[in-house]
Amino acid sequence: MTDWMTTSSVEERQRVLDLTPNEREEELKKWIKESNLSHSMKIDIAVGFNKLELYGVNVVKHILAGKETSSKPFGKSGLTSFNTITYAMCNLTHGSRALSEHLYDGYTHHIENYLNEDIVPFLADKHDYVLLKEFSDVWNSHKVLTNWMYKLFNQIDRTHVGLHKGKKSITSCALHCFYRIVFHDVVRKRVRECVLHFMAQERSGVNVDRDQLKSCVQMFELMGMAANVSDVKSIAEATNLPTDISIYRMELERPLLEASAEYYSLQRVQLLGECSMLSYFAQVERAVRGEETRVKAYLNPATLPRIQATVMQELMIVPSDRVKESFHGILRSADSAITLDSEAFPSDFCAHIKTVFALLLQIQDLPAMVSSSATDAEDSSSSMFTATATGATGTVANNDDLMNAFVEEFEKFLLEGVLKIRDMRASYSAPSAEGEGEAKQVTALTGSAKAAADIEFIKNCISFNRRVSLLLSECLQSFSQLRHCLQGAITKLMGGEIDAGSADPVTPTDMLVVYLDKCLRKDNKDQAAVSEADMDAVLVESVHLFKTIRDKDVFIEVFELFGCCVRPPFVPS
């Protein structure tokens, strides 16, 4: 404190505080009139500062303490007398310095003094939810203090700050003081530890006060504003600025991601030892959804891709043999249903496939998710997610390895289904009793038996294509590599000959053409006949099967060769 910052006696300060707002105002107006300040604009720096402190700053502190309840604590005329004093001080010099510069220093001193003597000791012994609540409360009190102090000292902004480029406005100065003295030097570590502690508890199933956590997390965002703002004139203007999450990123998000990585690394070891891979994948999805819920409840939205990346990066470093076995097991759980003439695969199978594939897509999207949330090129925290994770030999840790393993198993699953459908058709042709071993001949079906077998085969082909296509669109997001697998499977299904060892072999393409021709003939009386109501569905499904065949020209040639009576709608005239 400089020599001119004299402080009134305790008795004098209490005497002024005991006065009513109107009485205080009258005393101050009387002093201004007796000193002829309104006309001379001459004032001693020590006297002027003493009046501002005695009748202004001390009253503001009285307001913050809840001891001043008047809606007009500075009288009916408001702040006119204070504006007169500060205006006079801002237009005079004291030695080699303008009084406005001394007044700016005095303003800063009062803010710092209040924080150091009143707020810091108050927060010193607070912990857990009490600390989080009181930290939010003292910030709200500081905003009240800053508003009132601006009303008392706003002439500084109009003169001293306006003439000195780069000087913080008095509101910006007050906000930065709070960031530096209260947040950075005293509570940031304790508050951060509280937030991380309660998040860890919530992950373990303990109910926490999310509203209080949200309020506290928002303080980290506000501290970014308080630390970096320089020219705002009011608290309202400051709070309407774009969110500055630089302090949030550095002081909360980064430690949060590090703690989350450690937590989920331990979870991975525990869960892999306890769960099947299918249950493990469900746990991973549950963990990702849980973090998403937490972010939406009380963290900044920018944290979502980063914390999801952390979860996936830690939990998906898994043994490659177990991953492939799990994919194999999940897909084979539908083996018995692959040849059934039903609308879709079993619901449990679809739910499992959807869960696993959603996780695989998220793993592939991790680098893009994190880089899109980075604030600048030097944000090194995003680089921890873009590199391939390393693990023990035999682990899947690369973004593409898991998807490639799934695609490989899915292709095998489809090809096995193709083989089953063709084997079912082949079973209609029994080996003849003549001959032994390889010399046995296949007795070809004839007449109505062959026609019925061909129709049943084509119906199975259409059903297979329909159900796998539905699985792709509803559970596998029409992923291009998987759709390519279906195309290859259908091409194998519809290629080659059936009854190849007989005198009258036939291809699935032949069967499809004959099936459609019979469906379209109105006078057809055999098993291929369909009602008018079902005709559209049959044609649509046949078109879908046709579209999946790679060599469509073969189909058209065969259709024309048979001389079918009606051209299907998908064959151009």
Side-chain angles (χ1 to χ4, degrees):
M1 182 188 298
T2 55
D3 56 355
W4 50 265
M5 291 186 189
T6 58
T7 302
S8 303
S9 64
V10 175
E11 292 77 10
E12 179 64 8
R13 279 184 287 170
Q14 189 59 51
R15 183 194 68 81
V16 172
L17 292 175
D18 289 340
L19 298 174
T20 65
N22 289 338
E23 290 172 340
R24 288 196 292 265
E25 181 186 26
E26 290 301 319
E27 277 195 8
L28 195 57
K29 289 170 66 176
K30 180 180 179 181
W31 175 82
I32 291 173
K33 183 176 181 180
E34 290 175 350
S35 60
N36 199 30
L37 183 60
S38 299
H39 296 89
S40 66
M41 286 294 144
K42 293 181 180 180
I43 187 172
D44 179 77
I45 182 173
V47 174
F49 198 83
N50 177 263
K51 295 299 180 183
L52 290 173
E53 179 187 39
L54 188 61
Y55 291 90
V57 176
N58 287 333
V59 175
V60 172
K61 291 181 180 180
H62 213 50
I63 295 172
L64 296 176
K67 299 176 181 179
E68 179 61 62
T69 58
S70 172
S71 59
K72 293 184 177 181
F74 297 104
K76 295 180 180 179
S77 300
L79 301 157
T80 304
S81 299
F82 296 100
N83 288 333
T84 301
I85 296 172
T86 54
Y87 181 81
M89 295 180 71
C90 286
N91 287 277
L92 296 174
T93 60
H94 179 73
S96 60
R97 303 173 69 194
L99 282 189
S100 60
E101 187 172 353
H102 289 293
L103 193 59
Y104 187 91
D105 292 343
Y107 168 87
T108 305
H109 165 76
H110 274 304
I111 297 292
E112 293 177 340
N113 185 64
Y114 172 73
L115 295 175
N116 280 314
E117 293 187 0
D118 291 53
I119 302 303
V120 170
F122 174 73
L123 293 174
D125 60 346
K126 302 298 188 294
H127 301 282
D128 297 332
Y129 279 123
V130 176
L131 174 62
L132 301 186
K133 181 180 184 304
E134 296 298 352
F135 179 50
S136 298
D137 289 346
V138 298
W139 166 251
N140 291 329
S141 295
H142 187 72
K143 290 191 292 184
V144 174
L145 169 72
T146 303
N147 271 328
W148 280 115
M149 292 292 280
Y150 177 78
K151 294 176 180 180
L152 295 177
F153 292 90
N154 63 79
Q155 290 294 333
I156 300 176
D157 274 353
R158 299 179 183 180
T159 53
H160 179 69
V161 174
L163 295 173
H164 294 78
K165 189 175 181 179
K167 200 81 169 180
K168 288 183 180 291
S169 66
I170 58 174
T171 296
S172 301
C173 176
L175 295 175
H176 189 267
C177 286
F178 185 90
Y179 163 76
R180 175 171 49 85
I181 295 172
V182 178
F183 177 77
H184 187 274
D185 293 348
V186 178
V187 301
R188 66 186 172 100
K189 291 183 179 179
R190 285 191 290 143
V191 171
R192 179 176 64 221
E193 289 169 358
C194 283
V195 173
L196 297 182
H197 170 70
F198 289 124
M199 285 190 68
Q201 282 193 322
E202 187 176 40
R203 285 172 178 154
S204 301
V206 178
N207 290 327
V208 298
D209 188 342
R210 286 185 167 184
D211 290 337
Q212 188 61 61
L213 283 174
K214 182 177 182 178
S215 176
C216 188
V217 167
Q218 288 174 341
M219 290 296 300
F220 283 85
E221 299 170 352
L222 291 169
M223 289 304 100
M225 174 272 294
N228 299 310
V229 74
S230 61
D231 58 355
V232 295
K233 298 298 187 289
S234 67
I235 289 293
E237 182 183 346
T239 53
N240 287 329
L241 291 173
T243 303
D244 183 340
I245 62 172
S246 58
I247 300 299
Y248 169 85
R249 287 266 202 214
M250 180 173 59
E251 299 292 349
L252 182 61
E253 184 186 75
R254 188 169 297 176
L256 167 62
L257 296 179
E258 292 171 355
S260 299
E262 181 179 356
Y263 172 80
Y264 283 110
S265 178
L266 296 174
Q267 285 289 102
R268 180 184 71 243
V269 174
Q270 179 182 344
L271 292 174
L272 284 175
E274 298 174 351
C275 304
S276 66
M277 285 307 299
L278 182 56
S279 298
Y280 183 80
F281 287 137
Q283 292 283 2
V284 174
E285 184 191 33
R286 191 174 298 115
V288 172
R289 296 288 173 263
E291 296 303 333
E292 181 179 0
T293 301
R294 273 183 278 280
V295 170
K296 290 180 178 179
Y298 50 80
L299 295 174
N300 187 281
T303 299
L304 180 58
R306 293 169 175 244
I307 199 164
Q308 286 182 328
T310 301
V311 176
M312 303 295 286
Q313 194 80 1
E314 292 299 327
L315 293 182
M316 295 311 290
I317 302 178
V318 289
S320 57
D321 55 344
R322 288 192 63 180
V323 170
K324 291 179 181 179
E325 287 175 7
S326 70
F327 292 162
H328 181 88
I330 294 170
L331 291 168
R332 294 318 177 274
S333 67
D335 274 356
S336 60
I338 197 167
T339 57
L340 297 178
D341 185 15
S342 58
E343 289 298 319
F345 286 103
S347 58
D348 289 347
F349 168 76
C350 293
H352 293 158
I353 285 288
K354 190 172 184 178
T355 297
V356 171
F357 191 72
L359 288 174
L360 297 179
L361 287 182
Q362 283 187 300
I363 293 170
Q364 282 203 319
D365 291 342
L366 291 185
M369 288 165 57
V370 177
S371 61
S372 66
S373 70
T375 54
D376 55 67
E378 297 179 355
D379 189 353
S380 60
S381 63
S382 63
S383 63
M384 62 185 290
F385 306 110
T386 57
T388 299
T390 57
T393 302
T395 62
V396 176
N398 184 276
N399 292 344
D400 295 325
D401 286 348
L402 287 167
M403 182 61 78
N404 291 338
F406 183 82
V407 171
E408 181 181 342
E409 289 298 325
F410 187 77
E411 184 176 27
K412 291 179 182 178
F413 168 68
L414 295 184
L415 292 178
E416 289 175 8
V418 166
L419 184 61
K420 286 186 177 182
I421 294 173
R422 291 182 70 99
D423 285 348
M424 288 174 62
R425 172 60 181 82
S427 67
Y428 287 106
S429 301
S432 66
E434 301 176 0
E436 294 182 2
E438 296 182 0
K440 288 186 177 181
Q441 299 294 317
V442 174
T443 303
L445 294 173
T446 58
S448 60
K450 181 178 184 302
D454 291 349
I455 290 171
E456 186 66 22
F457 174 77
I458 291 301
K459 286 182 177 180
N460 283 336
C461 293
I462 290 174
S463 175
F464 174 78
N465 182 65
R466 178 184 66 242
R467 285 180 292 119
V468 176
S469 296
L470 188 64
L471 182 71
L472 283 169
S473 61
E474 293 189 353
C475 302
L476 301 174
Q477 303 186 29
S478 297
F479 192 63
S480 59
Q481 287 179 263
L482 300 179
R483 191 160 288 282
H484 182 77
C485 291
L486 174 60
Q487 188 181 48
I490 294 298
T491 299
K492 286 184 178 296
L493 179 63
M494 302 300 291
E497 294 181 337
I498 302 292
D499 297 340
S502 70
D504 186 23
V506 64
T507 68
T509 306
D510 299 338
M511 296 180 188
L512 179 59
V513 170
V514 172
Y515 173 71
L516 281 175
D517 184 55
K518 290 183 176 181
C519 286
L520 292 168
R521 290 180 186 274
K522 294 183 178 179
D523 58 346
N524 183 43
K525 303 298 182 182
D526 60 23
Q527 293 176 345
V530 294
S531 65
E532 290 290 336
D534 295 334
M535 181 61 70
D536 286 344
V538 169
L539 290 176
V540 168
E541 290 181 345
S542 299
V543 168
H544 286 165
L545 180 63
F546 167 70
K547 285 181 177 179
T548 313
I549 301 173
R550 287 174 178 164
D551 194 359
K552 300 179 178 63
D553 293 340
V554 172
F555 178 88
I556 296 173
E557 289 174 5
V558 174
F559 197 92
E560 293 176 343
L561 181 65
F562 271 72
C564 297
C565 66
V566 181
R567 293 179 67 83
F570 47 81
V571 179
S573 302

Short mmCIF file of all heavy atoms in Angstrom, two decimals, residues 28-43 47 85:
data_model
loop_
_atom_site.label_atom_id
_atom_site.label_comp_id
_atom_site.label_asym_id
_atom_site.label_seq_id
_atom_site.Cartn_x
_atom_site.Cartn_y
_atom_site.Cartn_z
N LEU A 28 -21.72 12.97 2.05
CA LEU A 28 -20.78 13.06 0.93
C LEU A 28 -21.06 14.29 0.07
O LEU A 28 -20.12 14.99 -0.35
CB LEU A 28 -20.87 11.77 0.09
CG LEU A 28 -19.72 11.52 -0.89
CD1 LEU A 28 -18.38 11.50 -0.17
CD2 LEU A 28 -19.94 10.20 -1.64
N LYS A 29 -22.33 14.58 -0.15
CA LYS A 29 -22.68 15.77 -0.94
C LYS A 29 -22.26 17.05 -0.21
O LYS A 29 -21.79 18.01 -0.84
CB LYS A 29 -24.19 15.78 -1.21
CG LYS A 29 -24.64 14.71 -2.20
CD LYS A 29 -26.15 14.56 -2.27
CE LYS A 29 -26.81 15.80 -2.83
NZ LYS A 29 -28.27 15.60 -2.98
N LYS A 30 -22.41 17.05 1.11
CA LYS A 30 -22.01 18.21 1.91
C LYS A 30 -20.50 18.43 1.80
O LYS A 30 -20.03 19.57 1.64
CB LYS A 30 -22.42 18.00 3.36
CG LYS A 30 -22.05 19.15 4.29
CD LYS A 30 -22.51 18.86 5.71
CE LYS A 30 -22.11 20.00 6.65
NZ LYS A 30 -22.52 19.72 8.05
N TRP A 31 -19.72 17.34 1.86
CA TRP A 31 -18.26 17.48 1.75
C TRP A 31 -17.87 18.01 0.38
O TRP A 31 -16.98 18.87 0.26
CB TRP A 31 -17.60 16.12 1.99
CG TRP A 31 -16.11 16.16 1.78
CD1 TRP A 31 -15.18 16.59 2.66
CD2 TRP A 31 -15.43 15.78 0.58
NE1 TRP A 31 -13.93 16.52 2.09
CE2 TRP A 31 -14.06 16.01 0.81
CE3 TRP A 31 -15.84 15.28 -0.64
CZ2 TRP A 31 -13.09 15.76 -0.16
CZ3 TRP A 31 -14.88 15.01 -1.60
CH2 TRP A 31 -13.53 15.24 -1.36
N ILE A 32 -18.51 17.52 -0.68
CA ILE A 32 -18.21 17.99 -2.04
C ILE A 32 -18.51 19.48 -2.17
O ILE A 32 -17.75 20.26 -2.76
CB ILE A 32 -19.01 17.18 -3.08
CG1 ILE A 32 -18.50 15.74 -3.13
CG2 ILE A 32 -18.95 17.81 -4.45
CD1 ILE A 32 -19.32 14.82 -4.01
N LYS A 33 -19.63 19.91 -1.57
CA LYS A 33 -20.02 21.33 -1.65
C LYS A 33 -19.03 22.19 -0.88
O LYS A 33 -18.61 23.25 -1.36
CB LYS A 33 -21.43 21.50 -1.10
CG LYS A 33 -21.96 22.92 -1.20
CD LYS A 33 -23.41 22.99 -0.71
CE LYS A 33 -23.94 24.42 -0.84
NZ LYS A 33 -25.34 24.51 -0.35
N GLU A 34 -18.65 21.75 0.33
CA GLU A 34 -17.73 22.55 1.15
C GLU A 34 -16.33 22.62 0.54
O GLU A 34 -15.64 23.63 0.68
CB GLU A 34 -17.64 21.94 2.56
CG GLU A 34 -18.91 22.09 3.37
CD GLU A 34 -18.83 21.38 4.71
OE1 GLU A 34 -17.86 20.60 4.91
OE2 GLU A 34 -19.74 21.57 5.56
N SER A 35 -15.92 21.59 -0.17
CA SER A 35 -14.60 21.61 -0.80
C SER A 35 -14.64 22.22 -2.19
O SER A 35 -13.59 22.32 -2.85
CB SER A 35 -14.05 20.19 -0.90
OG SER A 35 -14.92 19.38 -1.69
N ASN A 36 -15.83 22.68 -2.61
CA ASN A 36 -16.00 23.31 -3.93
C ASN A 36 -15.48 22.42 -5.06
O ASN A 36 -14.98 22.90 -6.08
CB ASN A 36 -15.28 24.66 -3.96
CG ASN A 36 -15.81 25.54 -5.10
OD1 ASN A 36 -16.98 25.45 -5.49
ND2 ASN A 36 -14.94 26.38 -5.65
N LEU A 37 -15.62 21.13 -4.88
CA LEU A 37 -15.04 20.19 -5.85
C LEU A 37 -15.73 20.26 -7.20
O LEU A 37 -15.09 20.12 -8.25
CB LEU A 37 -15.15 18.76 -5.28
CG LEU A 37 -14.53 17.64 -6.13
CD1 LEU A 37 -13.04 17.89 -6.31
CD2 LEU A 37 -14.76 16.28 -5.46
N SER A 38 -17.02 20.51 -7.21
CA SER A 38 -17.77 20.55 -8.47
C SER A 38 -17.27 21.64 -9.41
O SER A 38 -17.39 21.52 -10.64
CB SER A 38 -19.26 20.73 -8.21
OG SER A 38 -19.77 19.67 -7.44
N HIS A 39 -16.69 22.71 -8.83
CA HIS A 39 -16.24 23.83 -9.67
C HIS A 39 -14.71 23.82 -9.86
O HIS A 39 -14.20 24.03 -10.95
CB HIS A 39 -16.68 25.16 -9.07
CG HIS A 39 -18.17 25.33 -9.02
ND1 HIS A 39 -18.93 24.90 -7.93
CD2 HIS A 39 -19.06 25.85 -9.91
CE1 HIS A 39 -20.21 25.17 -8.16
NE2 HIS A 39 -20.31 25.75 -9.37
N SER A 40 -13.99 23.58 -8.79
CA SER A 40 -12.53 23.67 -8.87
C SER A 40 -11.89 22.44 -9.49
O SER A 40 -10.82 22.51 -10.09
CB SER A 40 -11.95 23.87 -7.46
OG SER A 40 -12.17 22.70 -6.67
N MET A 41 -12.53 21.28 -9.32
CA MET A 41 -11.99 20.01 -9.81
C MET A 41 -10.59 19.75 -9.28
O MET A 41 -9.77 19.11 -9.94
CB MET A 41 -11.99 19.97 -11.35
CG MET A 41 -13.35 19.78 -11.95
SD MET A 41 -14.02 18.15 -11.53
CE MET A 41 -15.75 18.51 -11.34
N LYS A 42 -10.31 20.28 -8.07
CA LYS A 42 -9.02 20.03 -7.43
C LYS A 42 -9.26 19.22 -6.17
O LYS A 42 -10.11 19.56 -5.35
CB LYS A 42 -8.32 21.35 -7.09
CG LYS A 42 -7.90 22.14 -8.31
CD LYS A 42 -7.18 23.42 -7.91
CE LYS A 42 -6.75 24.22 -9.13
NZ LYS A 42 -6.06 25.46 -8.74
N ILE A 43 -8.47 18.15 -6.02
CA ILE A 43 -8.68 17.25 -4.88
C ILE A 43 -7.35 16.62 -4.50
O ILE A 43 -6.54 16.30 -5.35
CB ILE A 43 -9.73 16.17 -5.24
CG1 ILE A 43 -10.10 15.34 -4.01
CG2 ILE A 43 -9.25 15.28 -6.38
CD1 ILE A 43 -11.27 14.40 -4.24
N VAL A 47 -7.18 12.35 0.28
CA VAL A 47 -8.53 12.68 0.73
C VAL A 47 -9.58 12.05 -0.18
O VAL A 47 -10.56 11.44 0.28
CB VAL A 47 -8.72 14.21 0.78
CG1 VAL A 47 -10.17 14.54 1.12
CG2 VAL A 47 -7.78 14.85 1.80
N ILE A 85 -16.21 12.75 -7.69
CA ILE A 85 -14.87 12.57 -7.09
C ILE A 85 -13.92 11.89 -8.07
O ILE A 85 -12.78 12.33 -8.27
CB ILE A 85 -14.99 11.75 -5.79
CG1 ILE A 85 -15.81 12.51 -4.74
CG2 ILE A 85 -13.60 11.43 -5.22
CD1 ILE A 85 -16.14 11.69 -3.51
#
